[in-house]
Amino acid sequence: MKQNRNVEFEPAGRKSNVESESTEVSFLYLSEDDMVDAGVQNAARCVDVMEEMIGLLEDGDFLMGGPYNDAHGLMLYFPKKSPIKNFPINNSRDRRFIAMPAYLGGRFHVAGEKWYGSNGNNRELGLPRSILMMMLNDVETGKPLAYMSGNLLSSMRTGAMPGMAAKHLAVNDAKVLSLLGCGVVNKACLMSIMTVRPDIEIIKLKGSSRTSKTALRMKEYIEDHYPGVKQVILCTTMEEAVRDADIVSEAISCMYGQWPEVKKEWMKPGLLYISSSTFNMEYSSIVDLKKVIDNYGMYENYAEEDELGYDENGIRKHSGCMGEDFVYMIEDGLIERDSLIRLGEIIRGKKPGRESDEEIILVSLEGMPIEDVAWAYECYSYALIHDIGTRLKVWDKPRAF
């Protein structure tokens, strides 16, 4: 079922719960199939919703976790060893749980939380590395509104952010898109970017090799779904993938500290380089480039948690996160804080976006729980209107203890 990109929804959470005098509490359960029917993979609409969300972030009409209300989430890591018998051990490269709560205002006026467990060993079981669920709650009463499958939701909102960046910051005649990483996230990025830049003619793919299964699957997907793309090129090196690109979407999965390096001399004038995952570029090469971020406070939190210092040669270590590296550059006096532009400032017209066809723009997009809340609410609203999902009861009346 396709969702109309321009459909407007009433604030279902506020209307259905606050005005009701009933003590009955129930919520809508949406399976992964239900989420597909509710339009969770509607890339064009998701780009629009993310733009709306970023505007509310700029307005301050939101809350996230942490002491400054701007944290990515609360992470529960397992140790690599423990003296306690049968204690969970991190014997994979990514075993953790994360709670990502947020409130988003505007027409959404809803609270929610994405909760997920991650384990790199899942792939041996035929499962995705991370299994995610999403909860929405009425802000006024705390009533649960919906509980839904979150994997497709999370991927789509992640991909829609680069789509929004490409809409506002790419050169008008962008023809070459490069995808660094060919996994699920960059597939969602591809879907979103193509909705706002349908004139792309060449797509370059950088997987682990020319014959990597993910790269070949991505090539096949592009050829099947985007007939206007004239050429799909499988690249063996980062340099080959970055050179001549108008837009780069980076979503590389790699071991911590093994981030592939990108060099300024590979970047053509006018390049828009979007990082959603890992980033490694010499600090001195970044200084004169335009730098755009989604949420500076989140990167300050990252830097405070990581406390990365300097190597044996006195050179600042890289974090693998573009926005966090920007924080270190400010700490080291390489750039000024006001040299960073918030994406919300561009959306709200406070600062210009692209100012010439020659400037190279770096964009850091790391993911925030308000993105999940926004897209979850949109899918939930669509599901309500179209009678999708299963209504589950909590109680008719709360029992006295």
Side-chain angles (χ1 to χ4, degrees), residues 1 28 30 34 380-391:
M1 181 181 297
L28 190 64
L30 297 169
D34 292 333
Y380 163 66
S381 298
Y382 189 90
L384 282 182
I385 294 170
H386 294 87
D387 196 25
I388 299 168
T390 304
R391 177 66 57 178

Side-chain angles (χ1 to χ4, degrees), residues 118-130:
S118 181
N119 192 329
N121 296 327
N122 279 356
R123 293 188 179 91
E124 299 174 5
L125 305 175
L127 295 170
R129 176 180 61 90
S130 298

